[in-house]
Amino acid sequence: MRETRIIMGMPITIDIVGVEDSRLHELAFGHFDAVDRRFSTYKADSEISAINGGELEPPDYSDEMREVLALAETTRWETDGYFDVRKPDGSIDPSGIVKGWAIRNAARLLRAAGAMDFFVDAGGDIESSGSNAEGGAWRVGIRHPFDPQAIVKVIYPRGRGVATSGSYVRGQHIYDPHRPGQTVTDIVSLTVIGSDVLEADRFATAAFAMGSAGIGFVESVRGLEGYSIDAAGIATMTSHFEALTQP
Amino acid sequence: MKKVLLSLFVLAASGGYVWSQSGRIGAENALAANGPGAPAADSASALPAGAAPQVKPMATSVIAQPAPAVLTAPAAVAPLPPQRIVADAPIPLPPLPIPRPQTAPRAPQAQILPAATLVAQSQTQFKDGSYKGPVTDAYYGNMQVQANIQGGQLASVKVLQYPADRRTSRNINSQALPMLQQEVISAQSASVDTVSGATLSSRAYIKSLAGALKQATAGQTNL
């Protein structure tokens, strides 16, 4: 059964094969709701708002907050500072890592609850498990950056996570932390496939901020593959990406 | 300052449910604030490729910035191993002269998204069918979505239109990544289970979706 809800400002779709009631969906959607309540910078009563408002000190952070901030710090180091949840005004916006983390955890919840064949898609970042309804490998399209109805590639992640960063939807929205005030425009879409969706998402965000060098960075990190599309419609892929396009 | 920040958050929360990177939304705001004709994101195309080659080589850069207390205090982060390099595939990571366009400045981080509330609260009571939302102006182009309702629930959201910021007069980065394979993208219509793409949560997107769901509540399909 497939169900979509709007949580965290984006459509989240959960498809579980062979399930006719929504008990498992409720479990996973409930997880996203809880993440939203804790990490939304748009909610005045969220924990992240309390931190940014100076009302909460580090010793009082929740375990979830500590985990996410530690992941963010890890990613900042791994990506030479291209991934950074700290904003120029001194506040923290962890949304760049929370999404991948939340999807991965939702997938873990589903597996722990006995689901075998499913995918979780939150705003175009995907973790899948097992097989689709036809018994085949889950098929994930990479959206065409200039045509919302079309895809440019089909990949078979086989349990890996898939995440895409892009500039085509909102205009330019990813900033280069090494160049305050500058945005990235030379590539329009970068899809990363990693061991899970958290890996894919955090590296996709960072590598996109590197511009055309980002795909080279993806190539350099073991376990990641990527597909980058520039403004002229030229794609660059990592050396083992094509294997993921084979059914 | 903290009070100002807090009030910004209160303001944002009262009107908006949308949770997203405020920088991303902020960028949209900045575009909108500049008004039509302002040289915001599109000014990039005016710059010659290779301008402002102030990019340090990734391999030799030093990570030395101390993190603020708020980040280092929780759960001590173990020192990281150096970047793992794939041994059997020498990686082309030359210091690239990446063109860095001039763009709009960062916008304020808080904003109100009233349309989102309707979307967020609407889990049920829809009539089955497909409903097109209104075409909404995302400043840099139009946005339109279609909500598909099955069993009274939102089953999927299909994007019918979104801004396609396409620039063709650009040199391909032929010298940048000589070892990685390149291809010209082409639209495919292959059957897939789901699609990976940049997150759709702009104000225009939410507005169009809210319009589609409003029709779904009334059951007035316009297809």
Side-chain angles (χ1 to χ4, degrees), chain A residues 24-58:
Chain A
L24 289 172
H25 295 78
E26 291 297 339
L27 178 74
F29 283 128
H31 162 69
F32 282 107
D33 280 329
V35 169
D36 191 25
R37 283 194 297 275
R38 186 180 301 283
F39 290 97
S40 174
T41 56
Y42 288 95
K43 293 181 188 302
D45 60 350
S46 69
E47 183 177 349
I48 193 67
S49 290
I51 290 170
N52 284 330
E55 301 153 35
L56 202 61
E57 295 302 319

PDB file of all heavy atoms in Angstrom, chain A residues 24-58:
ATOM      1  N   LEU A  24       1.724   0.144   9.682  1.00  0.00           N
ATOM      2  CA  LEU A  24       3.150   0.423   9.498  1.00  0.00           C
ATOM      3  C   LEU A  24       3.373   1.841   8.973  1.00  0.00           C
ATOM      4  O   LEU A  24       4.342   2.504   9.328  1.00  0.00           O
ATOM      5  CB  LEU A  24       3.770  -0.604   8.548  1.00  0.00           C
ATOM      6  CG  LEU A  24       3.920  -2.020   9.104  1.00  0.00           C
ATOM      7  CD1 LEU A  24       4.359  -2.979   8.004  1.00  0.00           C
ATOM      8  CD2 LEU A  24       4.912  -2.043  10.259  1.00  0.00           C
ATOM      9  N   HIS A  25       2.454   2.278   8.096  1.00  0.00           N
ATOM     10  CA  HIS A  25       2.563   3.642   7.590  1.00  0.00           C
ATOM     11  C   HIS A  25       2.460   4.641   8.742  1.00  0.00           C
ATOM     12  O   HIS A  25       3.210   5.611   8.802  1.00  0.00           O
ATOM     13  CB  HIS A  25       1.471   3.928   6.562  1.00  0.00           C
ATOM     14  CG  HIS A  25       1.585   3.108   5.305  1.00  0.00           C
ATOM     15  ND1 HIS A  25       1.194   1.791   5.245  1.00  0.00           N
ATOM     16  CD2 HIS A  25       2.061   3.418   4.079  1.00  0.00           C
ATOM     17  CE1 HIS A  25       1.410   1.335   4.018  1.00  0.00           C
ATOM     18  NE2 HIS A  25       1.951   2.291   3.299  1.00  0.00           N
ATOM     19  N   GLU A  26       1.501   4.384   9.640  1.00  0.00           N
ATOM     20  CA  GLU A  26       1.320   5.290  10.780  1.00  0.00           C
ATOM     21  C   GLU A  26       2.594   5.360  11.611  1.00  0.00           C
ATOM     22  O   GLU A  26       2.991   6.423  12.090  1.00  0.00           O
ATOM     23  CB  GLU A  26       0.149   4.830  11.665  1.00  0.00           C
ATOM     24  CG  GLU A  26      -1.218   4.978  11.019  1.00  0.00           C
ATOM     25  CD  GLU A  26      -1.576   6.432  10.706  1.00  0.00           C
ATOM     26  OE1 GLU A  26      -0.991   7.350  11.313  1.00  0.00           O
ATOM     27  OE2 GLU A  26      -2.431   6.634   9.821  1.00  0.00           O
ATOM     28  N   LEU A  27       3.220   4.210  11.797  1.00  0.00           N
ATOM     29  CA  LEU A  27       4.457   4.150  12.567  1.00  0.00           C
ATOM     30  C   LEU A  27       5.520   5.066  11.946  1.00  0.00           C
ATOM     31  O   LEU A  27       6.156   5.885  12.621  1.00  0.00           O
ATOM     32  CB  LEU A  27       4.951   2.696  12.601  1.00  0.00           C
ATOM     33  CG  LEU A  27       6.261   2.401  13.315  1.00  0.00           C
ATOM     34  CD1 LEU A  27       6.072   2.485  14.816  1.00  0.00           C
ATOM     35  CD2 LEU A  27       6.776   1.005  12.929  1.00  0.00           C
ATOM     36  N   ALA A  28       5.689   4.922  10.635  1.00  0.00           N
ATOM     37  CA  ALA A  28       6.740   5.686   9.963  1.00  0.00           C
ATOM     38  C   ALA A  28       6.374   7.173   9.858  1.00  0.00           C
ATOM     39  O   ALA A  28       7.216   8.046  10.087  1.00  0.00           O
ATOM     40  CB  ALA A  28       6.994   5.105   8.570  1.00  0.00           C
ATOM     41  N   PHE A  29       5.126   7.461   9.516  1.00  0.00           N
ATOM     42  CA  PHE A  29       4.723   8.863   9.447  1.00  0.00           C
ATOM     43  C   PHE A  29       4.801   9.521  10.832  1.00  0.00           C
ATOM     44  O   PHE A  29       5.139  10.702  10.959  1.00  0.00           O
ATOM     45  CB  PHE A  29       3.301   8.996   8.881  1.00  0.00           C
ATOM     46  CG  PHE A  29       3.219   8.834   7.384  1.00  0.00           C
ATOM     47  CD1 PHE A  29       2.328   7.934   6.815  1.00  0.00           C
ATOM     48  CD2 PHE A  29       4.028   9.587   6.547  1.00  0.00           C
ATOM     49  CE1 PHE A  29       2.241   7.792   5.438  1.00  0.00           C
ATOM     50  CE2 PHE A  29       3.948   9.448   5.164  1.00  0.00           C
ATOM     51  CZ  PHE A  29       3.059   8.538   4.609  1.00  0.00           C
ATOM     52  N   GLY A  30       4.462   8.756  11.851  1.00  0.00           N
ATOM     53  CA  GLY A  30       4.566   9.283  13.212  1.00  0.00           C
ATOM     54  C   GLY A  30       5.999   9.672  13.551  1.00  0.00           C
ATOM     55  O   GLY A  30       6.246  10.670  14.231  1.00  0.00           O
ATOM     56  N   HIS A  31       6.932   8.886  13.039  1.00  0.00           N
ATOM     57  CA  HIS A  31       8.345   9.207  13.242  1.00  0.00           C
ATOM     58  C   HIS A  31       8.689  10.544  12.583  1.00  0.00           C
ATOM     59  O   HIS A  31       9.344  11.399  13.188  1.00  0.00           O
ATOM     60  CB  HIS A  31       9.197   8.077  12.665  1.00  0.00           C
ATOM     61  CG  HIS A  31      10.624   8.452  12.431  1.00  0.00           C
ATOM     62  ND1 HIS A  31      11.511   8.698  13.452  1.00  0.00           N
ATOM     63  CD2 HIS A  31      11.323   8.658  11.284  1.00  0.00           C
ATOM     64  CE1 HIS A  31      12.682   9.029  12.939  1.00  0.00           C
ATOM     65  NE2 HIS A  31      12.593   9.002  11.633  1.00  0.00           N
ATOM     66  N   PHE A  32       8.223  10.743  11.344  1.00  0.00           N
ATOM     67  CA  PHE A  32       8.500  12.012  10.666  1.00  0.00           C
ATOM     68  C   PHE A  32       7.850  13.186  11.408  1.00  0.00           C
ATOM     69  O   PHE A  32       8.428  14.270  11.508  1.00  0.00           O
ATOM     70  CB  PHE A  32       8.000  11.966   9.214  1.00  0.00           C
ATOM     71  CG  PHE A  32       8.919  11.215   8.294  1.00  0.00           C
ATOM     72  CD1 PHE A  32       8.575   9.959   7.816  1.00  0.00           C
ATOM     73  CD2 PHE A  32      10.130  11.760   7.901  1.00  0.00           C
ATOM     74  CE1 PHE A  32       9.416   9.269   6.967  1.00  0.00           C
ATOM     75  CE2 PHE A  32      10.980  11.077   7.049  1.00  0.00           C
ATOM     76  CZ  PHE A  32      10.624   9.820   6.582  1.00  0.00           C
ATOM     77  N   ASP A  33       6.649  12.967  11.928  1.00  0.00           N
ATOM     78  CA  ASP A  33       5.987  14.026  12.708  1.00  0.00           C
ATOM     79  C   ASP A  33       6.835  14.411  13.920  1.00  0.00           C
ATOM     80  O   ASP A  33       6.991  15.594  14.236  1.00  0.00           O
ATOM     81  CB  ASP A  33       4.607  13.551  13.173  1.00  0.00           C
ATOM     82  CG  ASP A  33       3.562  13.650  12.073  1.00  0.00           C
ATOM     83  OD1 ASP A  33       3.673  14.556  11.224  1.00  0.00           O
ATOM     84  OD2 ASP A  33       2.626  12.824  12.071  1.00  0.00           O
ATOM     85  N   ALA A  34       7.359  13.398  14.595  1.00  0.00           N
ATOM     86  CA  ALA A  34       8.161  13.660  15.792  1.00  0.00           C
ATOM     87  C   ALA A  34       9.450  14.399  15.432  1.00  0.00           C
ATOM     88  O   ALA A  34       9.877  15.318  16.140  1.00  0.00           O
ATOM     89  CB  ALA A  34       8.476  12.343  16.501  1.00  0.00           C
ATOM     90  N   VAL A  35      10.063  14.000  14.317  1.00  0.00           N
ATOM     91  CA  VAL A  35      11.278  14.688  13.870  1.00  0.00           C
ATOM     92  C   VAL A  35      10.963  16.146  13.553  1.00  0.00           C
ATOM     93  O   VAL A  35      11.705  17.055  13.915  1.00  0.00           O
ATOM     94  CB  VAL A  35      11.870  13.977  12.632  1.00  0.00           C
ATOM     95  CG1 VAL A  35      12.972  14.823  11.998  1.00  0.00           C
ATOM     96  CG2 VAL A  35      12.416  12.607  13.017  1.00  0.00           C
ATOM     97  N   ASP A  36       9.831  16.354  12.907  1.00  0.00           N
ATOM     98  CA  ASP A  36       9.426  17.709  12.564  1.00  0.00           C
ATOM     99  C   ASP A  36       9.252  18.559  13.821  1.00  0.00           C
ATOM    100  O   ASP A  36       9.711  19.696  13.885  1.00  0.00           O
ATOM    101  CB  ASP A  36       8.110  17.648  11.774  1.00  0.00           C
ATOM    102  CG  ASP A  36       7.752  18.986  11.153  1.00  0.00           C
ATOM    103  OD1 ASP A  36       8.658  19.803  10.906  1.00  0.00           O
ATOM    104  OD2 ASP A  36       6.554  19.209  10.910  1.00  0.00           O
ATOM    105  N   ARG A  37       8.598  17.989  14.835  1.00  0.00           N
ATOM    106  CA  ARG A  37       8.356  18.753  16.065  1.00  0.00           C
ATOM    107  C   ARG A  37       9.667  19.131  16.750  1.00  0.00           C
ATOM    108  O   ARG A  37       9.778  20.192  17.337  1.00  0.00           O
ATOM    109  CB  ARG A  37       7.497  17.930  17.034  1.00  0.00           C
ATOM    110  CG  ARG A  37       6.018  17.899  16.678  1.00  0.00           C
ATOM    111  CD  ARG A  37       5.191  17.363  17.834  1.00  0.00           C
ATOM    112  NE  ARG A  37       5.514  15.983  18.167  1.00  0.00           N
ATOM    113  CZ  ARG A  37       4.988  14.912  17.561  1.00  0.00           C
ATOM    114  NH1 ARG A  37       4.112  15.080  16.578  1.00  0.00           N
ATOM    115  NH2 ARG A  37       5.314  13.699  17.936  1.00  0.00           N
ATOM    116  N   ARG A  38      10.658  18.275  16.652  1.00  0.00           N
ATOM    117  CA  ARG A  38      11.919  18.554  17.343  1.00  0.00           C
ATOM    118  C   ARG A  38      12.842  19.460  16.537  1.00  0.00           C
ATOM    119  O   ARG A  38      13.521  20.322  17.099  1.00  0.00           O
ATOM    120  CB  ARG A  38      12.645  17.236  17.641  1.00  0.00           C
ATOM    121  CG  ARG A  38      13.893  17.416  18.483  1.00  0.00           C
ATOM    122  CD  ARG A  38      14.602  16.095  18.769  1.00  0.00           C
ATOM    123  NE  ARG A  38      13.787  15.123  19.452  1.00  0.00           N
ATOM    124  CZ  ARG A  38      13.509  15.146  20.754  1.00  0.00           C
ATOM    125  NH1 ARG A  38      13.976  16.129  21.496  1.00  0.00           N
ATOM    126  NH2 ARG A  38      12.755  14.216  21.290  1.00  0.00           N
ATOM    127  N   PHE A  39      12.881  19.270  15.213  1.00  0.00           N
ATOM    128  CA  PHE A  39      13.933  19.912  14.421  1.00  0.00           C
ATOM    129  C   PHE A  39      13.455  21.061  13.532  1.00  0.00           C
ATOM    130  O   PHE A  39      14.264  21.661  12.833  1.00  0.00           O
ATOM    131  CB  PHE A  39      14.637  18.869  13.547  1.00  0.00           C
ATOM    132  CG  PHE A  39      15.481  17.897  14.320  1.00  0.00           C
ATOM    133  CD1 PHE A  39      14.991  16.647  14.667  1.00  0.00           C
ATOM    134  CD2 PHE A  39      16.759  18.242  14.728  1.00  0.00           C
ATOM    135  CE1 PHE A  39      15.763  15.744  15.391  1.00  0.00           C
ATOM    136  CE2 PHE A  39      17.542  17.352  15.446  1.00  0.00           C
ATOM    137  CZ  PHE A  39      17.046  16.105  15.788  1.00  0.00           C
ATOM    138  N   SER A  40      12.167  21.345  13.518  1.00  0.00           N
ATOM    139  CA  SER A  40      11.699  22.395  12.621  1.00  0.00           C
ATOM    140  C   SER A  40      12.101  23.777  13.121  1.00  0.00           C
ATOM    141  O   SER A  40      11.743  24.186  14.220  1.00  0.00           O
ATOM    142  CB  SER A  40      10.179  22.354  12.495  1.00  0.00           C
ATOM    143  OG  SER A  40       9.758  23.468  11.738  1.00  0.00           O
ATOM    144  N   THR A  41      12.835  24.496  12.273  1.00  0.00           N
ATOM    145  CA  THR A  41      13.183  25.869  12.628  1.00  0.00           C
ATOM    146  C   THR A  41      11.985  26.804  12.428  1.00  0.00           C
ATOM    147  O   THR A  41      12.053  27.975  12.761  1.00  0.00           O
ATOM    148  CB  THR A  41      14.359  26.374  11.763  1.00  0.00           C
ATOM    149  OG1 THR A  41      14.015  26.232  10.388  1.00  0.00           O
ATOM    150  CG2 THR A  41      15.619  25.569  12.044  1.00  0.00           C
ATOM    151  N   TYR A  42      10.910  26.260  11.882  1.00  0.00           N
ATOM    152  CA  TYR A  42       9.698  27.063  11.700  1.00  0.00           C
ATOM    153  C   TYR A  42       8.738  26.945  12.879  1.00  0.00           C
ATOM    154  O   TYR A  42       7.704  27.591  12.906  1.00  0.00           O
ATOM    155  CB  TYR A  42       8.971  26.645  10.420  1.00  0.00           C
ATOM    156  CG  TYR A  42       9.701  27.085   9.182  1.00  0.00           C
ATOM    157  CD1 TYR A  42      10.576  26.225   8.541  1.00  0.00           C
ATOM    158  CD2 TYR A  42       9.532  28.361   8.682  1.00  0.00           C
ATOM    159  CE1 TYR A  42      11.269  26.625   7.421  1.00  0.00           C
ATOM    160  CE2 TYR A  42      10.224  28.776   7.561  1.00  0.00           C
ATOM    161  CZ  TYR A  42      11.082  27.901   6.928  1.00  0.00           C
ATOM    162  OH  TYR A  42      11.773  28.320   5.820  1.00  0.00           O
ATOM    163  N   LYS A  43       9.044  26.067  13.807  1.00  0.00           N
ATOM    164  CA  LYS A  43       8.177  25.907  14.975  1.00  0.00           C
ATOM    165  C   LYS A  43       8.836  26.554  16.183  1.00  0.00           C
ATOM    166  O   LYS A  43       9.940  26.192  16.567  1.00  0.00           O
ATOM    167  CB  LYS A  43       7.948  24.410  15.269  1.00  0.00           C
ATOM    168  CG  LYS A  43       7.139  23.697  14.208  1.00  0.00           C
ATOM    169  CD  LYS A  43       6.971  22.234  14.626  1.00  0.00           C
ATOM    170  CE  LYS A  43       6.348  21.421  13.513  1.00  0.00           C
ATOM    171  NZ  LYS A  43       5.046  21.905  13.073  1.00  0.00           N
ATOM    172  N   ALA A  44       8.131  27.474  16.788  1.00  0.00           N
ATOM    173  CA  ALA A  44       8.716  28.215  17.912  1.00  0.00           C
ATOM    174  C   ALA A  44       8.974  27.301  19.102  1.00  0.00           C
ATOM    175  O   ALA A  44       9.856  27.574  19.919  1.00  0.00           O
ATOM    176  CB  ALA A  44       7.778  29.351  18.315  1.00  0.00           C
ATOM    177  N   ASP A  45       8.212  26.205  19.221  1.00  0.00           N
ATOM    178  CA  ASP A  45       8.371  25.340  20.383  1.00  0.00           C
ATOM    179  C   ASP A  45       9.225  24.114  20.092  1.00  0.00           C
ATOM    180  O   ASP A  45       9.250  23.171  20.883  1.00  0.00           O
ATOM    181  CB  ASP A  45       6.996  24.917  20.915  1.00  0.00           C
ATOM    182  CG  ASP A  45       6.197  24.158  19.862  1.00  0.00           C
ATOM    183  OD1 ASP A  45       6.618  24.136  18.688  1.00  0.00           O
ATOM    184  OD2 ASP A  45       5.146  23.577  20.216  1.00  0.00           O
ATOM    185  N   SER A  46       9.929  24.116  18.956  1.00  0.00           N
ATOM    186  CA  SER A  46      10.809  22.981  18.668  1.00  0.00           C
ATOM    187  C   SER A  46      12.098  23.117  19.478  1.00  0.00           C
ATOM    188  O   SER A  46      12.462  24.206  19.933  1.00  0.00           O
ATOM    189  CB  SER A  46      11.141  22.928  17.180  1.00  0.00           C
ATOM    190  OG  SER A  46      11.974  24.006  16.812  1.00  0.00           O
ATOM    191  N   GLU A  47      12.773  21.996  19.630  1.00  0.00           N
ATOM    192  CA  GLU A  47      14.038  22.027  20.372  1.00  0.00           C
ATOM    193  C   GLU A  47      15.075  22.893  19.652  1.00  0.00           C
ATOM    194  O   GLU A  47      15.807  23.651  20.296  1.00  0.00           O
ATOM    195  CB  GLU A  47      14.572  20.602  20.559  1.00  0.00           C
ATOM    196  CG  GLU A  47      15.841  20.561  21.386  1.00  0.00           C
ATOM    197  CD  GLU A  47      16.324  19.132  21.636  1.00  0.00           C
ATOM    198  OE1 GLU A  47      15.565  18.186  21.356  1.00  0.00           O
ATOM    199  OE2 GLU A  47      17.450  18.987  22.126  1.00  0.00           O
ATOM    200  N   ILE A  48      15.111  22.799  18.330  1.00  0.00           N
ATOM    201  CA  ILE A  48      16.104  23.590  17.607  1.00  0.00           C
ATOM    202  C   ILE A  48      15.827  25.089  17.764  1.00  0.00           C
ATOM    203  O   ILE A  48      16.757  25.902  17.844  1.00  0.00           O
ATOM    204  CB  ILE A  48      16.180  23.173  16.110  1.00  0.00           C
ATOM    205  CG1 ILE A  48      17.426  23.755  15.431  1.00  0.00           C
ATOM    206  CG2 ILE A  48      14.946  23.588  15.339  1.00  0.00           C
ATOM    207  CD1 ILE A  48      18.728  23.193  15.922  1.00  0.00           C
ATOM    208  N   SER A  49      14.552  25.457  17.840  1.00  0.00           N
ATOM    209  CA  SER A  49      14.227  26.867  18.059  1.00  0.00           C
ATOM    210  C   SER A  49      14.665  27.310  19.452  1.00  0.00           C
ATOM    211  O   SER A  49      15.125  28.439  19.643  1.00  0.00           O
ATOM    212  CB  SER A  49      12.729  27.118  17.878  1.00  0.00           C
ATOM    213  OG  SER A  49      12.365  26.980  16.516  1.00  0.00           O
ATOM    214  N   ALA A  50      14.506  26.418  20.424  1.00  0.00           N
ATOM    215  CA  ALA A  50      14.936  26.741  21.785  1.00  0.00           C
ATOM    216  C   ALA A  50      16.454  26.924  21.828  1.00  0.00           C
ATOM    217  O   ALA A  50      16.965  27.818  22.502  1.00  0.00           O
ATOM    218  CB  ALA A  50      14.506  25.633  22.749  1.00  0.00           C
ATOM    219  N   ILE A  51      17.165  26.093  21.070  1.00  0.00           N
ATOM    220  CA  ILE A  51      18.625  26.215  21.033  1.00  0.00           C
ATOM    221  C   ILE A  51      19.028  27.530  20.374  1.00  0.00           C
ATOM    222  O   ILE A  51      19.846  28.288  20.898  1.00  0.00           O
ATOM    223  CB  ILE A  51      19.235  25.016  20.272  1.00  0.00           C
ATOM    224  CG1 ILE A  51      19.070  23.736  21.102  1.00  0.00           C
ATOM    225  CG2 ILE A  51      20.696  25.272  19.943  1.00  0.00           C
ATOM    226  CD1 ILE A  51      19.411  22.459  20.355  1.00  0.00           C
ATOM    227  N   ASN A  52      18.402  27.810  19.242  1.00  0.00           N
ATOM    228  CA  ASN A  52      18.745  29.045  18.536  1.00  0.00           C
ATOM    229  C   ASN A  52      18.292  30.285  19.295  1.00  0.00           C
ATOM    230  O   ASN A  52      18.847  31.362  19.114  1.00  0.00           O
ATOM    231  CB  ASN A  52      18.145  29.036  17.123  1.00  0.00           C
ATOM    232  CG  ASN A  52      18.928  28.126  16.194  1.00  0.00           C
ATOM    233  OD1 ASN A  52      20.134  27.939  16.364  1.00  0.00           O
ATOM    234  ND2 ASN A  52      18.250  27.543  15.224  1.00  0.00           N
ATOM    235  N   GLY A  53      17.281  30.128  20.136  1.00  0.00           N
ATOM    236  CA  GLY A  53      16.823  31.251  20.949  1.00  0.00           C
ATOM    237  C   GLY A  53      17.605  31.408  22.242  1.00  0.00           C
ATOM    238  O   GLY A  53      17.305  32.272  23.054  1.00  0.00           O
ATOM    239  N   GLY A  54      18.588  30.542  22.433  1.00  0.00           N
ATOM    240  CA  GLY A  54      19.417  30.645  23.627  1.00  0.00           C
ATOM    241  C   GLY A  54      18.752  30.121  24.884  1.00  0.00           C
ATOM    242  O   GLY A  54      19.221  30.375  25.995  1.00  0.00           O
ATOM    243  N   GLU A  55      17.683  29.360  24.725  1.00  0.00           N
ATOM    244  CA  GLU A  55      16.963  28.871  25.903  1.00  0.00           C
ATOM    245  C   GLU A  55      17.421  27.490  26.332  1.00  0.00           C
ATOM    246  O   GLU A  55      16.995  26.997  27.371  1.00  0.00           O
ATOM    247  CB  GLU A  55      15.452  28.803  25.596  1.00  0.00           C
ATOM    248  CG  GLU A  55      14.854  30.137  25.197  1.00  0.00           C
ATOM    249  CD  GLU A  55      13.635  29.953  24.304  1.00  0.00           C
ATOM    250  OE1 GLU A  55      12.894  28.973  24.517  1.00  0.00           O
ATOM    251  OE2 GLU A  55      13.447  30.770  23.386  1.00  0.00           O
ATOM    252  N   LEU A  56      18.232  26.853  25.509  1.00  0.00           N
ATOM    253  CA  LEU A  56      18.645  25.493  25.830  1.00  0.00           C
ATOM    254  C   LEU A  56      20.157  25.403  25.686  1.00  0.00           C
ATOM    255  O   LEU A  56      20.717  25.796  24.663  1.00  0.00           O
ATOM    256  CB  LEU A  56      17.949  24.519  24.879  1.00  0.00           C
ATOM    257  CG  LEU A  56      17.805  23.063  25.318  1.00  0.00           C
ATOM    258  CD1 LEU A  56      16.983  22.966  26.586  1.00  0.00           C
ATOM    259  CD2 LEU A  56      17.152  22.247  24.205  1.00  0.00           C
ATOM    260  N   GLU A  57      20.795  24.882  26.720  1.00  0.00           N
ATOM    261  CA  GLU A  57      22.249  24.748  26.692  1.00  0.00           C
ATOM    262  C   GLU A  57      22.621  23.316  26.322  1.00  0.00           C
ATOM    263  O   GLU A  57      21.839  22.382  26.544  1.00  0.00           O
ATOM    264  CB  GLU A  57      22.827  25.116  28.056  1.00  0.00           C
ATOM    265  CG  GLU A  57      22.605  26.582  28.427  1.00  0.00           C
ATOM    266  CD  GLU A  57      23.197  27.543  27.395  1.00  0.00           C
ATOM    267  OE1 GLU A  57      24.313  27.290  26.908  1.00  0.00           O
ATOM    268  OE2 GLU A  57      22.523  28.536  27.060  1.00  0.00           O
ATOM    269  N   PRO A  58      23.815  23.115  25.789  1.00  0.00           N
ATOM    270  CA  PRO A  58      24.222  21.784  25.317  1.00  0.00           C
ATOM    271  C   PRO A  58      23.959  20.637  26.291  1.00  0.00           C
ATOM    272  O   PRO A  58      23.533  19.569  25.843  1.00  0.00           O
ATOM    273  CB  PRO A  58      25.715  21.968  25.032  1.00  0.00           C
ATOM    274  CG  PRO A  58      25.812  23.384  24.597  1.00  0.00           C
ATOM    275  CD  PRO A  58      24.810  24.147  25.437  1.00  0.00           C
TER     276      PRO A  58
END
